[in-house]
Each structure stands twice: as C-alpha cells, then as structure tokens.
Amino acid sequence: YQRRVRGEKLIDPGDLYVSLKSGIVLCRLMNKVRPGMIKKFNNSSDGKLHPLMERENISLYLDACWKLGIPSHSMFVISDLHSRRYMSQVLQNVYALSKLAETISKVSN
C-alpha cells in the first residue's frame, strides 16, 4: 500500500520496522492521503534521525490519524513502533489508514 500511494521504495522492504521507525515514511504517507495534514516534520536524506526526532514524527503522524478519524482500536502508541513492541498494531493502523484513504479518494473524485 505505501509503495503504491507514495510512489517510492521503502528503506528496507524486508523489515517494515526499519522503514517506519523514523516516522518519515508515515508523515509522507499521511500527506499523500491528506495533503498538508502534517505541515512540518523532521526529515533526513538518509532517513536517520535522533531518536527524539523520530518519536516526534510518530507523534505527528498519530495526531493526524486521530484528526482524520482513525478509530482508537486501530491506533498504536509511539513505543509500539519505536521500541518494536507491537508491530501488528502498527500494521493495523496503516491498514485502517489505507481504508480511509480509499474513502477519501472516492469522495474527492
């Protein structure tokens, strides 16, 4: 889903955690679903950020999910992703965003 929406490759297609941990991919994904939803986030050309900046990006993404109406049962907490605790919950969230994106796309077309 992310490759299709964003039009670019993940940092490590074999390990979603590596690609999502910085929050950059998530923030970009959110801005594809709803342009300008996250006005400013921490970015890096190589995808490597200080851990506090990564956590801030994840927080910005989660706030945007909440504002878009992603249900609470499809949300995760920062440590689920950043500490690689509950990646299944992170995947559930991305899936919920993909479903919401389809709805937004149908409404705007």
Coordinates of all heavy atoms in Angstrom, one line a residue, residues 29-80:
L29 N 3.3 9.5 4.0 CA 2.2 8.8 3.7 C 0.9 9.6 4.0 O 0.0 9.7 3.2 CB 2.2 7.4 4.4 CG 0.9 6.5 4.2 CD1 0.8 6.2 2.7 CD2 1.1 5.3 5.0
M30 N 0.9 10.1 5.2 CA -0.3 10.9 5.7 C -0.5 12.1 4.7 O -1.6 12.4 4.4 CB -0.1 11.4 7.1 CG -1.2 12.2 7.6 SD -2.8 11.4 7.6 CE -2.6 10.3 8.9
N31 N 0.6 12.7 4.3 CA 0.5 13.9 3.5 C 0.0 13.5 2.0 O -0.5 14.4 1.3 CB 1.7 14.7 3.4 CG 1.9 15.6 4.7 OD1 0.9 15.9 5.3 ND2 3.1 16.0 5.0
K32 N 0.2 12.3 1.7 CA -0.3 11.8 0.4 C -1.8 11.6 0.5 O -2.6 11.9 -0.4 CB 0.3 10.5 0.0 CG 1.7 10.6 -0.5 CD 1.8 11.3 -1.9 CE 3.2 11.3 -2.4 NZ 3.3 11.8 -3.8
V33 N -2.3 11.1 1.6 CA -3.7 10.8 1.9 C -4.4 12.1 2.0 O -5.5 12.3 1.4 CB -3.9 9.9 3.2 CG1 -5.4 9.9 3.5 CG2 -3.3 8.6 2.9
R34 N -3.9 13.1 2.8 CA -4.5 14.4 3.0 C -3.4 15.4 2.9 O -2.7 15.6 3.9 CB -5.2 14.4 4.4 CG -5.8 15.7 4.8 CD -7.0 16.2 3.9 NE -8.1 15.3 3.8 CZ -9.1 15.2 4.6 NH1 -9.2 16.1 5.6 NH2 -10.1 14.4 4.4
P35 N -3.1 16.0 1.7 CA -2.1 16.9 1.5 C -2.1 18.1 2.6 O -3.1 18.6 2.9 CB -2.3 17.5 0.1 CG -3.0 16.4 -0.6 CD -3.9 15.8 0.5
G36 N -0.9 18.3 3.2 CA -0.7 19.4 4.1 C -1.2 19.0 5.5 O -1.2 19.9 6.4
M37 N -1.6 17.8 5.8 CA -2.1 17.4 7.1 C -1.0 17.5 8.1 O -1.2 18.0 9.2 CB -2.6 15.9 7.0 CG -3.3 15.5 8.3 SD -4.9 16.2 8.4 CE -5.5 15.5 9.8
I38 N 0.2 17.2 7.8 CA 1.4 17.4 8.7 C 2.3 18.4 8.0 O 3.0 18.1 7.0 CB 2.2 16.0 8.9 CG1 1.2 15.0 9.5 CG2 3.4 16.3 9.8 CD1 1.9 13.6 9.7
K39 N 2.2 19.6 8.5 CA 2.8 20.7 7.8 C 4.4 20.7 7.9 O 5.0 21.0 6.9 CB 2.3 22.1 8.4 CG 0.8 22.3 8.1 CD 0.4 23.6 8.5 CE -1.1 23.8 8.3 NZ -1.9 23.0 7.4
K40 N 4.9 20.3 9.0 CA 6.3 20.2 9.2 C 6.7 19.0 10.0 O 6.1 18.8 11.1 CB 6.8 21.5 9.8 CG 8.3 21.6 9.9 CD 8.8 22.9 10.5 CE 10.3 22.9 10.6 NZ 10.7 24.1 11.3
F41 N 7.7 18.2 9.5 CA 8.1 17.1 10.3 C 9.6 17.0 10.1 O 10.2 17.6 9.2 CB 7.4 15.8 9.9 CG 7.5 15.4 8.5 CD1 8.5 14.5 8.1 CD2 6.6 15.9 7.6 CE1 8.6 14.2 6.7 CE2 6.7 15.5 6.2 CZ 7.7 14.6 5.8
N42 N 10.3 16.2 11.0 CA 11.7 16.0 10.9 C 12.1 15.1 9.8 O 11.5 14.1 9.6 CB 12.2 15.4 12.2 CG 11.9 16.3 13.4 OD1 12.3 17.4 13.5 ND2 11.1 15.8 14.3
N43 N 13.0 15.6 8.9 CA 13.3 14.8 7.7 C 14.9 14.7 7.6 O 15.6 15.4 8.2 CB 12.8 15.6 6.5 CG 12.5 14.6 5.3 OD1 13.0 13.5 5.3 ND2 11.8 15.1 4.4
S44 N 15.3 13.7 6.8 CA 16.7 13.5 6.6 C 16.8 12.8 5.3 O 16.0 11.9 4.9 CB 17.3 12.6 7.7 OG 18.5 12.1 7.4
S45 N 17.9 13.1 4.5 CA 18.1 12.5 3.2 C 18.3 11.0 3.3 O 18.0 10.2 2.5 CB 19.2 13.2 2.5 OG 20.4 13.1 3.2
D46 N 19.0 10.6 4.4 CA 19.3 9.1 4.6 C 18.3 8.4 5.5 O 18.4 7.2 5.8 CB 20.7 8.9 5.1 CG 21.0 9.5 6.4 OD1 20.0 10.1 7.0 OD2 22.1 9.4 6.9
G47 N 17.3 9.2 6.0 CA 16.3 8.5 6.9 C 16.7 8.3 8.3 O 16.0 7.7 9.1
K48 N 17.9 8.8 8.7 CA 18.4 8.6 10.0 C 18.2 9.9 10.8 O 18.6 11.0 10.4 CB 19.9 8.2 10.0 CG 20.1 6.9 9.4 CD 21.5 6.5 9.3 CE 21.7 5.2 8.6 NZ 23.1 4.8 8.5
L49 N 17.6 9.8 12.0 CA 17.3 10.9 12.8 C 17.6 10.6 14.3 O 17.7 9.4 14.6 CB 15.8 11.3 12.8 CG 15.2 11.8 11.5 CD1 13.7 11.9 11.6 CD2 15.8 13.1 11.1
H50 N 17.8 11.6 15.1 CA 17.9 11.4 16.5 C 16.6 10.7 17.0 O 15.5 11.1 16.5 CB 18.1 12.8 17.2 CG 18.4 12.7 18.6 ND1 17.4 12.5 19.6 CD2 19.6 12.7 19.3 CE1 18.0 12.4 20.8 NE2 19.3 12.5 20.7
P51 N 16.7 9.8 18.0 CA 15.5 9.1 18.5 C 14.4 10.1 18.9 O 13.2 9.8 18.7 CB 16.0 8.3 19.7 CG 17.5 8.0 19.3 CD 17.9 9.3 18.6
L52 N 14.7 11.2 19.5 CA 13.6 12.1 19.9 C 12.9 12.7 18.7 O 11.7 13.0 18.7 CB 14.2 13.3 20.8 CG 14.7 12.9 22.2 CD1 15.3 14.0 22.9 CD2 13.6 12.3 23.0
M53 N 13.7 13.0 17.6 CA 13.0 13.5 16.4 C 12.2 12.4 15.8 O 11.1 12.7 15.2 CB 14.1 13.9 15.4 CG 14.9 15.1 16.0 SD 16.3 15.5 14.9 CE 15.6 16.6 13.8
E54 N 12.6 11.1 15.9 CA 11.8 10.0 15.3 C 10.5 9.9 16.1 O 9.4 9.8 15.5 CB 12.6 8.7 15.5 CG 13.8 8.6 14.6 CD 14.6 7.3 14.9 OE1 14.5 6.7 15.9 OE2 15.4 7.0 14.0
R55 N 10.6 10.0 17.4 CA 9.4 9.9 18.2 C 8.4 11.1 18.0 O 7.2 10.9 18.0 CB 9.8 9.9 19.7 CG 10.5 8.6 20.1 CD 11.0 8.5 21.5 NE 9.9 8.3 22.4 CZ 9.3 7.2 22.8 NH1 9.9 6.1 22.2 NH2 8.3 7.1 23.6
E56 N 9.0 12.3 17.7 CA 8.2 13.4 17.4 C 7.4 13.2 16.1 O 6.2 13.5 16.0 CB 9.0 14.7 17.3 CG 8.2 15.9 17.0 CD 9.0 17.2 16.9 OE1 10.3 17.1 16.8 OE2 8.4 18.3 17.0
N57 N 8.1 12.6 15.1 CA 7.4 12.3 13.8 C 6.3 11.3 14.0 O 5.2 11.5 13.4 CB 8.4 11.8 12.8 CG 9.3 12.8 12.2 OD1 9.1 14.0 12.3 ND2 10.3 12.4 11.5
I58 N 6.5 10.3 14.8 CA 5.5 9.3 15.0 C 4.3 10.0 15.7 O 3.1 9.7 15.3 CB 6.0 8.1 15.8 CG1 7.1 7.4 15.0 CG2 4.9 7.1 16.2 CD1 8.0 6.4 15.8
S59 N 4.6 10.8 16.6 CA 3.5 11.6 17.3 C 2.7 12.4 16.4 O 1.5 12.5 16.5 CB 4.1 12.4 18.5 OG 3.1 13.1 19.1
L60 N 3.4 13.1 15.5 CA 2.7 14.0 14.5 C 1.8 13.1 13.6 O 0.7 13.5 13.3 CB 3.7 14.7 13.6 CG 4.5 15.8 14.3 CD1 5.7 16.2 13.4 CD2 3.6 17.0 14.6
Y61 N 2.3 11.9 13.2 CA 1.5 11.0 12.4 C 0.3 10.6 13.2 O -0.8 10.6 12.6 CB 2.4 9.8 12.0 CG 1.6 8.7 11.4 CD1 1.1 8.8 10.1 CD2 1.2 7.6 12.1 CE1 0.3 7.7 9.5 CE2 0.5 6.6 11.6 CZ 0.0 6.6 10.3 OH -0.7 5.6 9.8
L62 N 0.5 10.2 14.4 CA -0.7 9.7 15.2 C -1.7 10.7 15.4 O -2.9 10.5 15.4 CB -0.2 9.1 16.5 CG 0.6 7.8 16.4 CD1 1.3 7.4 17.7 CD2 -0.2 6.6 15.9
D63 N -1.3 12.0 15.7 CA -2.2 13.1 15.8 C -3.0 13.3 14.6 O -4.3 13.5 14.6 CB -1.5 14.4 16.2 CG -0.9 14.4 17.6 OD1 -1.3 13.6 18.4 OD2 -0.1 15.3 17.9
A64 N -2.4 13.2 13.4 CA -3.1 13.3 12.1 C -4.1 12.2 11.9 O -5.2 12.4 11.5 CB -2.1 13.4 11.0
C65 N -3.7 11.0 12.3 CA -4.6 9.8 12.2 C -5.9 10.1 13.1 O -7.0 9.9 12.6 CB -4.0 8.5 12.7 SG -2.8 7.8 11.6
W66 N -5.7 10.6 14.3 CA -6.8 10.9 15.2 C -7.7 11.9 14.6 O -8.9 11.8 14.6 CB -6.2 11.3 16.5 CG -7.3 11.4 17.6 CD1 -7.8 12.5 18.1 CD2 -7.9 10.3 18.3 NE1 -8.7 12.2 19.0 CE2 -8.8 10.9 19.2 CE3 -7.7 8.9 18.2 CZ2 -9.6 10.1 20.0 CZ3 -8.5 8.2 19.0 CH2 -9.4 8.7 19.9
K67 N -7.1 13.0 14.0 CA -7.9 14.1 13.4 C -8.7 13.6 12.2 O -9.7 14.1 11.9 CB -7.0 15.2 13.0 CG -6.4 16.0 14.2 CD -5.5 17.1 13.8 CE -4.9 17.7 15.0 NZ -3.8 18.6 14.7
L68 N -8.1 12.6 11.4 CA -8.8 12.1 10.3 C -9.9 11.1 10.7 O -10.7 10.7 9.8 CB -7.8 11.3 9.4 CG -7.1 12.2 8.3 CD1 -6.2 11.3 7.5 CD2 -8.0 13.0 7.5
G69 N -9.9 10.6 11.9 CA -11.0 9.8 12.4 C -10.6 8.3 12.4 O -11.5 7.5 12.4
I70 N -9.4 8.0 12.4 CA -9.0 6.6 12.6 C -9.5 6.1 13.9 O -9.2 6.8 14.9 CB -7.4 6.4 12.5 CG1 -6.9 6.8 11.1 CG2 -7.0 4.9 12.8 CD1 -7.3 6.0 9.9
P71 N -10.2 5.0 14.0 CA -10.8 4.6 15.3 C -9.7 4.2 16.3 O -8.6 3.8 15.9 CB -11.6 3.3 15.0 CG -11.4 3.0 13.5 CD -10.6 4.1 12.9
S72 N -10.0 4.4 17.6 CA -9.0 4.2 18.6 C -8.4 2.7 18.6 O -7.3 2.5 18.9 CB -9.5 4.5 20.0 OG -10.7 3.8 20.3
H73 N -9.3 1.7 18.3 CA -8.8 0.4 18.3 C -7.8 0.1 17.1 O -7.1 -0.9 17.1 CB -9.9 -0.6 18.2 CG -10.7 -0.6 16.9 ND1 -11.8 0.2 16.7 CD2 -10.5 -1.3 15.7 CE1 -12.2 0.1 15.5 NE2 -11.5 -0.8 14.9
S74 N -7.7 1.1 16.2 CA -6.7 1.0 15.1 C -5.5 1.9 15.3 O -4.7 2.0 14.4 CB -7.4 1.3 13.8 OG -8.3 0.3 13.5
M75 N -5.4 2.5 16.5 CA -4.3 3.3 16.8 C -3.2 2.5 17.5 O -3.4 1.4 18.0 CB -4.7 4.5 17.7 CG -5.7 5.4 17.0 SD -5.0 6.3 15.6 CE -4.1 7.5 16.4
F76 N -2.0 3.1 17.6 CA -0.9 2.5 18.4 C -0.3 3.6 19.2 O -0.5 4.8 19.0 CB 0.1 1.8 17.5 CG 0.8 2.7 16.5 CD1 2.1 3.2 16.8 CD2 0.3 2.9 15.2 CE1 2.7 4.0 15.9 CE2 1.0 3.7 14.3 CZ 2.2 4.3 14.6
V77 N 0.6 3.2 20.1 CA 1.3 4.2 20.9 C 2.7 4.2 20.3 O 3.2 3.3 19.7 CB 1.3 3.9 22.4 CG1 -0.1 4.0 23.0 CG2 1.9 2.6 22.7
I78 N 3.4 5.3 20.6 CA 4.7 5.6 20.0 C 5.7 4.4 20.2 O 6.4 3.9 19.3 CB 5.3 6.9 20.5 CG1 4.5 8.1 20.0 CG2 6.8 7.0 20.1 CD1 4.9 9.4 20.6
S79 N 5.7 3.9 21.5 CA 6.6 2.8 21.8 C 6.3 1.5 21.1 O 7.2 0.6 20.9 CB 6.7 2.6 23.3 OG 5.4 2.2 23.8
D80 N 5.0 1.3 20.6 CA 4.7 0.1 19.8 C 5.6 0.0 18.6 O 6.1 -1.0 18.2 CB 3.2 0.1 19.4 CG 2.2 -0.1 20.5 OD1 2.6 -0.5 21.6 OD2 1.0 0.2 20.2

